[in-house]
Amino acid sequence: MEIYENDNEQVDAVKRFFAENGKALVVGVVLGIGALVGWRYWNGHQVESSMASSLEYQTVTDAVRADQPATLSAAEKFAAGTKNTYGALASLELAQKYADNNDLAKAAAQLQQGLSSTSDANLQALINARLARIQIQQKQSDAALKTLDSIKGEGWVAIVADLRGEALLSKGDKQGARDAWSKGSQTDASPALREMMQMKINNLSS
């Protein structure tokens, strides 16, 4: 599994994947149930639905990125009503927008909503990493640690270790933070991420 330096790279990769392979994924699902009665109708309906979600997702996220406040409600409506990958990605976009505006409560709410919209394990891991980061900013360290416990997969070990260290440090647990960053710095994460965690360990001693 590819190792990413941070969760921003993860979300970009997920978006690229679904932008490039969204239709192919739908077709793959269709082929898997091709023996069922009425599969041709189902195929056409699902492809059409997926394409419609993709187009609407692109529209609402472009509007959010263009900083058009009047369109936020439309984006929120799309995210809340679209229970698939595109709805989850829209929630991620909105959460980033709210976080940039320091509205952490709304950012966390969007991320929680995004979690309920997708069953994709990697996307859920990404959303949980973002949620843990927000919870740390909110001084909700215990909630952040619980969120981090739900993230699985080798590609997330270093990012989780880094965030766990931040959460523990915010609780005043310097030794716990040191242990978390030491574990993270020994993984096969990017050199930049390993170096950053080593710097944090060094700062604990200064």
Side-chain angles (χ1 to χ4, degrees):
M1 181 177 182
E2 185 173 359
I3 306 299
Y4 296 94
E5 182 171 326
N6 54 53
D7 53 300
N8 286 322
E9 291 184 5
Q10 285 274 11
V11 73
D12 289 341
V14 170
K15 289 176 185 175
R16 286 197 304 273
F17 177 79
F18 281 102
E20 295 169 1
N21 302 286
K23 186 173 180 180
L25 290 174
V26 173
V27 173
V29 171
V30 170
L31 292 176
I33 63 170
L36 297 178
V37 175
W39 75 272
R40 288 179 180 171
Y41 169 79
W42 187 92
N43 175 29
H45 174 73
Q46 291 298 314
V47 171
E48 182 179 346
S49 177
S50 179
M51 291 179 67
S53 292
S54 176
L55 289 172
E56 190 171 357
Y57 163 74
Q58 192 63 53
T59 299
V60 298
T61 54
D62 283 349
V64 169
R65 294 170 193 170
D67 199 20
Q68 300 172 14
T71 66
L72 280 180
S73 60
E76 290 173 344
K77 183 177 180 181
F78 172 80
T82 309
K83 297 302 181 181
N84 58 27
T85 295
Y86 294 108
L89 291 174
S91 290
L92 269 171
E93 288 283 351
L94 285 164
Q96 184 62 56
K97 182 69 174 179
Y98 287 129
D100 289 343
N101 292 334
N102 204 34
D103 193 339
L104 301 181
K106 283 188 176 181
Q110 282 296 325
L111 293 170
Q112 293 281 9
Q113 180 174 273
L115 284 173
S116 69
S117 295
T118 182
S119 58
D120 182 87
N122 201 47
L123 183 53
Q124 286 181 335
L126 169 61
I127 294 172
N128 274 317
R130 288 290 181 90
L131 179 58
R133 193 180 299 280
I134 293 294
Q135 290 168 330
I136 292 169
Q137 290 179 270
Q138 292 177 304
K139 308 301 182 185
Q140 297 176 3
S141 303
D142 289 333
L145 291 169
K146 184 175 181 180
T147 298
L148 291 170
D149 285 340
S150 68
I151 301 176
K152 310 300 181 184
E154 292 182 8
W156 292 97
V157 171
I159 291 173
V160 168
D162 182 38
L163 290 171
R164 189 178 301 281
E166 293 290 347
L168 290 170
L169 184 62
S170 70
K171 287 167 57 73
D173 185 356
K174 290 187 177 181
Q175 186 58 51
R178 183 189 302 276
D179 292 342
W181 288 328
S182 294
K183 178 181 178 181
S185 65
Q186 294 168 12
T187 66
D188 57 353
S190 68
L193 183 54
R194 291 201 304 269
E195 182 178 347
M196 182 178 70
M197 285 187 280
Q198 186 59 54
M199 288 177 61
K200 291 178 180 181
I201 293 172
N202 295 341
N203 287 338
L204 289 176
S205 302
S206 59

